Amino acid sequence: MPEFTGFPVEALDFYDDLEMDNTKTYWEAHRQTYDAAVAAPMKALVAGLADEFGDAKVFRPYRDVRFAKDKTPYKTHQGAFVPKGPSTGYYVQVGAPGVRVGVGFYEASSPRLASIRDAIVDKRRGGELEDILATMQATGWELGGDRLKTAPRGFDVDHPRIELLRHKSMTLGKSYGFEPFIHTPELLERVRADWREATPFVEWVLHHAKG
């Protein structure tokens, strides 16, 4: 596997144009650009991180449009995911807005979500999560995920951690945007450092998500 040297500017330009012309005609005309400027660097990036975090799944560029109202055939970003548990792990993507990293769980079965909520309710374990999230948000991570509009059934709406209890999924993301380093080998170490910083959050989820 070639060493990672950064995502070339052509990768961002490719997705910028794809957002304007998301058609098979455009894709086929620019397939070589996708292969060289997007797919190859992404594979090299996650290969460079595999020794510490594990092997990544590099997602297919095609959208599943079978049940979607939006029938555009191609994703407007290239993502890769390192699974550490069910729907839980580390993420990186490149698209027209630049490069972004993320961690967390993007969905949970009913038993796993119930287990996570039980841990959030607990003063010690829930406090640990609050501390982890506060530390990460202070360094630029943004908390996201699907949330209920009200308190989940069986939980007090006045609970001090009700905002966390409302989560059906929980992710933390950080955007590098168009920072010059995304076009250089430095990006690999930036992703490594951020994934390391996020590891306590991933480990908290893995430890408390049972079922």
Side-chain angles (χ1 to χ4, degrees):
M1 175 63 68
E3 289 190 6
F4 179 72
T5 57
F7 287 106
V9 173
E10 288 80 6
L12 278 60
D13 291 343
F14 170 83
Y15 281 112
D16 200 31
D17 292 339
L18 181 63
E19 289 184 356
M20 301 297 293
D21 185 13
N22 196 322
T23 64
K24 185 176 181 180
T25 300
Y26 171 83
W27 183 270
E28 293 299 333
H30 298 85
R31 179 60 190 257
Q32 288 186 330
T33 300
Y34 168 78
D35 289 340
V38 178
M42 180 62 80
K43 291 174 183 176
L45 173 62
V46 295
L49 296 163
D51 60 335
E52 182 170 350
F53 297 97
D55 293 332
K57 175 183 179 180
V58 177
F59 293 111
R60 289 163 52 88
Y62 314 104
R63 296 182 64 248
D64 183 353
V65 299
R66 290 174 297 173
F67 308 107
K69 292 182 180 179
D70 178 3
K71 298 298 184 181
T72 51
Y74 303 103
K75 298 174 184 175
T76 54
H77 60 268
Q78 176 64 62
F81 182 70
V82 179
K84 306 305 289 187
S87 304
T88 304
Y90 302 88
Y91 180 75
V92 60
Q93 76 172 40
V94 61
V99 176
R100 184 172 180 84
V101 292
V103 297
F105 67 97
Y106 56 87
E107 63 181 15
S109 65
S110 294
R112 292 182 75 242
L113 188 56
S115 180
I116 289 170
R117 284 175 173 160
D118 285 344
I120 292 172
V121 166
D122 181 77
K123 184 175 182 179
R124 179 184 62 80
R125 294 178 294 163
E128 288 175 354
L129 178 59
E130 283 184 309
D131 290 344
I132 291 169
L133 294 177
T135 297
M136 293 184 66
Q137 288 175 295
T139 59
W141 293 86
E142 298 176 354
L143 180 63
D146 293 331
R147 299 191 303 168
L148 297 171
K149 293 181 179 179
T150 60
R153 185 176 301 174
F155 292 91
D156 185 353
V157 69
D158 294 321
H159 191 280
R161 286 180 290 282
I162 188 60
E163 292 303 314
L164 296 180
L165 289 167
R166 289 169 56 201
H167 279 263
K168 296 188 294 181
S169 62
M170 193 178 298
T171 59
L172 285 156
K174 179 184 283 190
S175 176
Y176 301 144
F178 307 115
E179 290 288 347
F181 65 76
I182 71 171
H183 305 301
T184 74
E186 182 186 344
L187 176 61
L188 188 149
E189 295 308 321
R190 293 280 189 138
V191 176
R192 186 189 301 278
D194 279 332
W195 281 4
R196 280 178 179 171
E197 183 183 16
T199 293
F201 174 62
V202 174
E203 291 180 342
W204 189 96
V205 173
L206 295 175
H207 183 71
H208 295 297
K210 309 297 183 183

